[in-house]
Amino acid sequence: MHFSFLIYCSYAVIGKFAAKLDFLSLKFIAVYCGVFFILGIYALLWQQVLKHISLTTAIANKSITIIWGLIAGYFLFHESITKTKILGAILILCGIFILSFQSSSDSVDDKNTGV
């Protein structure tokens, strides 16, 4: 599952490299074809993940892409990791985990009440 999320993160990294190229140049088009290829591979892997793991669990785990995005930006683009970015990532992760636990407890309540 996390391998597919790493692939998902790579499309943004490649897209950022493409932004440095001349718009609609041959290299630009080739790089963006690579982006679409990566997204296609990710879509296939995501379907396989959902066959084995519940959607709530998969979405909660997908939030790791935020952390990988910060790490990729730091190492590949020399972007700084500020306290604000870390705080923002923590808030997003907390929100996702709260929603995933809330929705799973709601579905248990719905099963118990017959709704």
Side-chain angles (χ1 to χ4, degrees), residues 73-95:
Y74 178 78
F75 285 110
L76 298 175
F77 302 108
H78 308 291
E79 296 175 352
S80 62
I81 299 178
T82 63
K83 292 177 185 178
T84 307
K85 288 179 183 178
I86 292 171
L87 179 62
I90 290 170
L91 287 173
I92 291 169
L93 293 172
C94 288

mmCIF file of all heavy atoms in Angstrom, residues 73-95:
data_model
loop_
_atom_site.group_PDB
_atom_site.id
_atom_site.type_symbol
_atom_site.label_atom_id
_atom_site.label_comp_id
_atom_site.label_asym_id
_atom_site.label_seq_id
_atom_site.Cartn_x
_atom_site.Cartn_y
_atom_site.Cartn_z
ATOM 1 N N GLY A 73 10.410 17.550 -1.314
ATOM 2 C CA GLY A 73 10.704 18.959 -1.544
ATOM 3 C C GLY A 73 12.017 19.379 -0.920
ATOM 4 O O GLY A 73 12.787 20.153 -1.499
ATOM 5 N N TYR A 74 12.306 18.852 0.242
ATOM 6 C CA TYR A 74 13.555 19.183 0.937
ATOM 7 C C TYR A 74 14.771 18.643 0.181
ATOM 8 O O TYR A 74 15.741 19.365 -0.059
ATOM 9 C CB TYR A 74 13.520 18.627 2.363
ATOM 10 C CG TYR A 74 14.783 18.880 3.140
ATOM 11 C CD1 TYR A 74 15.038 20.130 3.688
ATOM 12 C CD2 TYR A 74 15.721 17.868 3.327
ATOM 13 C CE1 TYR A 74 16.209 20.367 4.404
ATOM 14 C CE2 TYR A 74 16.884 18.093 4.041
ATOM 15 C CZ TYR A 74 17.123 19.346 4.575
ATOM 16 O OH TYR A 74 18.283 19.573 5.265
ATOM 17 N N PHE A 75 14.736 17.365 -0.193
ATOM 18 C CA PHE A 75 15.904 16.748 -0.809
ATOM 19 C C PHE A 75 16.052 17.067 -2.297
ATOM 20 O O PHE A 75 17.169 17.243 -2.786
ATOM 21 C CB PHE A 75 15.887 15.227 -0.611
ATOM 22 C CG PHE A 75 16.238 14.813 0.784
ATOM 23 C CD1 PHE A 75 15.290 14.275 1.620
ATOM 24 C CD2 PHE A 75 17.523 14.986 1.261
ATOM 25 C CE1 PHE A 75 15.607 13.900 2.915
ATOM 26 C CE2 PHE A 75 17.856 14.618 2.554
ATOM 27 C CZ PHE A 75 16.896 14.073 3.383
ATOM 28 N N LEU A 76 14.959 17.140 -3.025
ATOM 29 C CA LEU A 76 15.059 17.326 -4.478
ATOM 30 C C LEU A 76 15.042 18.782 -4.906
ATOM 31 O O LEU A 76 15.655 19.135 -5.922
ATOM 32 C CB LEU A 76 13.928 16.569 -5.173
ATOM 33 C CG LEU A 76 13.929 15.055 -4.974
ATOM 34 C CD1 LEU A 76 12.701 14.437 -5.604
ATOM 35 C CD2 LEU A 76 15.197 14.450 -5.553
ATOM 36 N N PHE A 77 14.331 19.627 -4.158
ATOM 37 C CA PHE A 77 14.184 21.020 -4.574
ATOM 38 C C PHE A 77 14.763 22.004 -3.567
ATOM 39 O O PHE A 77 14.598 23.207 -3.710
ATOM 40 C CB PHE A 77 12.706 21.326 -4.834
ATOM 41 C CG PHE A 77 12.106 20.436 -5.882
ATOM 42 C CD1 PHE A 77 11.210 19.445 -5.532
ATOM 43 C CD2 PHE A 77 12.456 20.574 -7.211
ATOM 44 C CE1 PHE A 77 10.663 18.614 -6.484
ATOM 45 C CE2 PHE A 77 11.920 19.745 -8.172
ATOM 46 C CZ PHE A 77 11.021 18.763 -7.813
ATOM 47 N N HIS A 78 15.397 21.478 -2.541
ATOM 48 C CA HIS A 78 16.046 22.294 -1.508
ATOM 49 C C HIS A 78 15.073 23.278 -0.861
ATOM 50 O O HIS A 78 15.439 24.400 -0.532
ATOM 51 C CB HIS A 78 17.267 23.013 -2.078
ATOM 52 C CG HIS A 78 18.209 22.085 -2.774
ATOM 53 N ND1 HIS A 78 18.949 21.141 -2.099
ATOM 54 C CD2 HIS A 78 18.489 21.916 -4.092
ATOM 55 C CE1 HIS A 78 19.671 20.452 -2.959
ATOM 56 N NE2 HIS A 78 19.400 20.890 -4.178
ATOM 57 N N GLU A 79 13.836 22.836 -0.700
ATOM 58 C CA GLU A 79 12.840 23.646 -0.004
ATOM 59 C C GLU A 79 13.036 23.479 1.497
ATOM 60 O O GLU A 79 13.455 22.426 1.961
ATOM 61 C CB GLU A 79 11.425 23.213 -0.399
ATOM 62 C CG GLU A 79 11.114 23.440 -1.864
ATOM 63 C CD GLU A 79 9.749 22.902 -2.265
ATOM 64 O OE1 GLU A 79 9.105 22.213 -1.441
ATOM 65 O OE2 GLU A 79 9.336 23.160 -3.393
ATOM 66 N N SER A 80 12.718 24.509 2.223
ATOM 67 C CA SER A 80 12.885 24.426 3.674
ATOM 68 C C SER A 80 11.662 23.770 4.310
ATOM 69 O O SER A 80 10.545 23.895 3.809
ATOM 70 C CB SER A 80 13.099 25.816 4.265
ATOM 71 O OG SER A 80 11.967 26.622 4.017
ATOM 72 N N ILE A 81 11.915 23.060 5.381
ATOM 73 C CA ILE A 81 10.824 22.491 6.176
ATOM 74 C C ILE A 81 10.700 23.375 7.401
ATOM 75 O O ILE A 81 11.513 23.299 8.319
ATOM 76 C CB ILE A 81 11.104 21.024 6.553
ATOM 77 C CG1 ILE A 81 11.227 20.165 5.295
ATOM 78 C CG2 ILE A 81 9.996 20.501 7.461
ATOM 79 C CD1 ILE A 81 11.542 18.712 5.569
ATOM 80 N N THR A 82 9.694 24.220 7.381
ATOM 81 C CA THR A 82 9.510 25.182 8.462
ATOM 82 C C THR A 82 8.587 24.610 9.535
ATOM 83 O O THR A 82 7.904 23.598 9.314
ATOM 84 C CB THR A 82 8.905 26.484 7.921
ATOM 85 O OG1 THR A 82 7.605 26.189 7.385
ATOM 86 C CG2 THR A 82 9.785 27.089 6.831
ATOM 87 N N LYS A 83 8.568 25.291 10.658
ATOM 88 C CA LYS A 83 7.665 24.889 11.738
ATOM 89 C C LYS A 83 6.217 24.982 11.279
ATOM 90 O O LYS A 83 5.388 24.151 11.654
ATOM 91 C CB LYS A 83 7.884 25.764 12.970
ATOM 92 C CG LYS A 83 9.202 25.560 13.642
ATOM 93 C CD LYS A 83 9.376 26.500 14.816
ATOM 94 C CE LYS A 83 10.763 26.357 15.405
ATOM 95 N NZ LYS A 83 10.990 27.293 16.509
ATOM 96 N N THR A 84 5.919 25.970 10.458
ATOM 97 C CA THR A 84 4.559 26.140 9.950
ATOM 98 C C THR A 84 4.152 24.961 9.070
ATOM 99 O O THR A 84 3.026 24.468 9.171
ATOM 100 C CB THR A 84 4.453 27.451 9.152
ATOM 101 O OG1 THR A 84 4.934 28.528 9.952
ATOM 102 C CG2 THR A 84 3.033 27.719 8.723
ATOM 103 N N LYS A 85 5.055 24.503 8.208
ATOM 104 C CA LYS A 85 4.753 23.345 7.354
ATOM 105 C C LYS A 85 4.553 22.087 8.193
ATOM 106 O O LYS A 85 3.658 21.286 7.921
ATOM 107 C CB LYS A 85 5.867 23.118 6.336
ATOM 108 C CG LYS A 85 5.907 24.156 5.241
ATOM 109 C CD LYS A 85 7.035 23.884 4.277
ATOM 110 C CE LYS A 85 7.126 24.958 3.221
ATOM 111 N NZ LYS A 85 8.259 24.733 2.306
ATOM 112 N N ILE A 86 5.386 21.921 9.204
ATOM 113 C CA ILE A 86 5.242 20.754 10.084
ATOM 114 C C ILE A 86 3.923 20.823 10.841
ATOM 115 O O ILE A 86 3.192 19.828 10.926
ATOM 116 C CB ILE A 86 6.439 20.659 11.048
ATOM 117 C CG1 ILE A 86 7.713 20.327 10.270
ATOM 118 C CG2 ILE A 86 6.186 19.610 12.127
ATOM 119 C CD1 ILE A 86 8.981 20.415 11.078
ATOM 120 N N LEU A 87 3.593 21.994 11.364
ATOM 121 C CA LEU A 87 2.327 22.160 12.074
ATOM 122 C C LEU A 87 1.146 21.903 11.144
ATOM 123 O O LEU A 87 0.188 21.217 11.522
ATOM 124 C CB LEU A 87 2.235 23.564 12.677
ATOM 125 C CG LEU A 87 0.953 23.884 13.429
ATOM 126 C CD1 LEU A 87 0.790 22.964 14.636
ATOM 127 C CD2 LEU A 87 0.940 25.336 13.853
ATOM 128 N N GLY A 88 1.219 22.420 9.922
ATOM 129 C CA GLY A 88 0.150 22.178 8.955
ATOM 130 C C GLY A 88 -0.018 20.703 8.636
ATOM 131 O O GLY A 88 -1.136 20.188 8.569
ATOM 132 N N ALA A 89 1.105 20.006 8.447
ATOM 133 C CA ALA A 89 1.049 18.564 8.165
ATOM 134 C C ALA A 89 0.444 17.809 9.344
ATOM 135 O O ALA A 89 -0.380 16.906 9.158
ATOM 136 C CB ALA A 89 2.445 18.037 7.856
ATOM 137 N N ILE A 90 0.818 18.202 10.564
ATOM 138 C CA ILE A 90 0.268 17.546 11.755
ATOM 139 C C ILE A 90 -1.239 17.780 11.855
ATOM 140 O O ILE A 90 -1.998 16.847 12.145
ATOM 141 C CB ILE A 90 0.997 18.028 13.023
ATOM 142 C CG1 ILE A 90 2.421 17.486 13.044
ATOM 143 C CG2 ILE A 90 0.255 17.611 14.287
ATOM 144 C CD1 ILE A 90 3.301 18.094 14.119
ATOM 145 N N LEU A 91 -1.681 19.010 11.589
ATOM 146 C CA LEU A 91 -3.119 19.309 11.642
ATOM 147 C C LEU A 91 -3.896 18.508 10.606
ATOM 148 O O LEU A 91 -4.971 17.970 10.895
ATOM 149 C CB LEU A 91 -3.353 20.807 11.438
ATOM 150 C CG LEU A 91 -2.987 21.701 12.605
ATOM 151 C CD1 LEU A 91 -3.109 23.166 12.217
ATOM 152 C CD2 LEU A 91 -3.848 21.397 13.814
ATOM 153 N N ILE A 92 -3.361 18.411 9.395
ATOM 154 C CA ILE A 92 -4.025 17.637 8.351
ATOM 155 C C ILE A 92 -4.095 16.163 8.746
ATOM 156 O O ILE A 92 -5.146 15.517 8.625
ATOM 157 C CB ILE A 92 -3.308 17.812 7.003
ATOM 158 C CG1 ILE A 92 -3.514 19.242 6.493
ATOM 159 C CG2 ILE A 92 -3.815 16.804 5.974
ATOM 160 C CD1 ILE A 92 -2.653 19.605 5.314
ATOM 161 N N LEU A 93 -2.989 15.622 9.224
ATOM 162 C CA LEU A 93 -2.966 14.218 9.634
ATOM 163 C C LEU A 93 -3.937 13.959 10.779
ATOM 164 O O LEU A 93 -4.670 12.958 10.771
ATOM 165 C CB LEU A 93 -1.551 13.802 10.038
ATOM 166 C CG LEU A 93 -0.512 13.771 8.918
ATOM 167 C CD1 LEU A 93 0.875 13.544 9.487
ATOM 168 C CD2 LEU A 93 -0.860 12.718 7.900
ATOM 169 N N CYS A 94 -3.978 14.864 11.759
ATOM 170 C CA CYS A 94 -4.914 14.701 12.881
ATOM 171 C C CYS A 94 -6.357 14.713 12.395
ATOM 172 O O CYS A 94 -7.177 13.902 12.825
ATOM 173 C CB CYS A 94 -4.702 15.793 13.924
ATOM 174 S SG CYS A 94 -3.200 15.603 14.876
ATOM 175 N N GLY A 95 -6.661 15.637 11.493
ATOM 176 C CA GLY A 95 -8.022 15.711 10.952
ATOM 177 C C GLY A 95 -8.422 14.448 10.216
ATOM 178 O O GLY A 95 -9.534 13.943 10.383
#
